[in-house]
Amino acid sequence: MDHDLAPSPRVAAARRDQRSLMDTVYEAGTLPVAAGDRETKLLASRLLVYGFLTIDEVGEDGAIRRLRPSEAIRVGRERPWRLSRASRGVSLSVPIPAVDGFLFEMA
């Protein structure tokens, strides 16, 4: 049996965290994310790239601006975000590809 095909514990944990975040957003409808919550923002950015979530940046005046994937990947700490279910019909059976290090800083 080839054990090299099994994901590393870090990749497996990232997959679980992404799925948990997506499930939470889908159940709640929207989810606020604090400006400094970099870990959640990284997970949400990846889910945005694959079309599972939308991300809105919340300005100081409460104005909302939809972020593009290229903007979300930069993961700024200046403003809080609001996550919501993607408006496009995305099937929950679509797997989230695992790529070591994608949108994550390497340790």
Side-chain angles (χ1 to χ4, degrees):
M1 183 172 183
D2 189 357
H3 294 286
D4 291 336
L5 297 178
S8 70
R10 182 174 175 215
V11 170
R15 282 185 185 168
R16 279 192 307 275
D17 292 346
Q18 288 172 5
R19 184 59 183 216
S20 177
L21 178 61
M22 186 174 69
D23 289 345
T24 299
V25 171
Y26 277 40
E27 288 174 20
T30 63
L31 181 71
V33 178
D37 187 350
R38 190 168 192 274
E39 182 177 335
T40 301
K41 286 182 171 185
L42 285 170
L43 292 172
S45 295
R46 186 169 186 190
L47 292 170
L48 173 66
V49 167
Y50 292 114
F52 290 102
L53 298 179
T54 59
I55 300 174
D56 296 315
E57 182 181 60
V58 181
E60 289 179 20
D61 60 355
I64 294 178
R65 182 177 73 88
R66 178 79 27 104
L67 296 179
R68 296 183 309 257
S70 60
E71 294 173 311
I73 289 172
R74 293 188 202 117
V75 188
R77 295 181 188 208
E78 305 81 42
R79 306 260 185 266
W81 286 1
R82 183 183 68 190
L83 310 179
S84 56
R85 184 178 188 158
S87 59
R88 302 186 303 270
V90 175
S91 169
L92 293 178
S93 64
V94 175
I96 299 172
V99 177
D100 287 331
F102 180 72
L103 293 181
F104 293 95
E105 291 181 8
M106 300 307 287

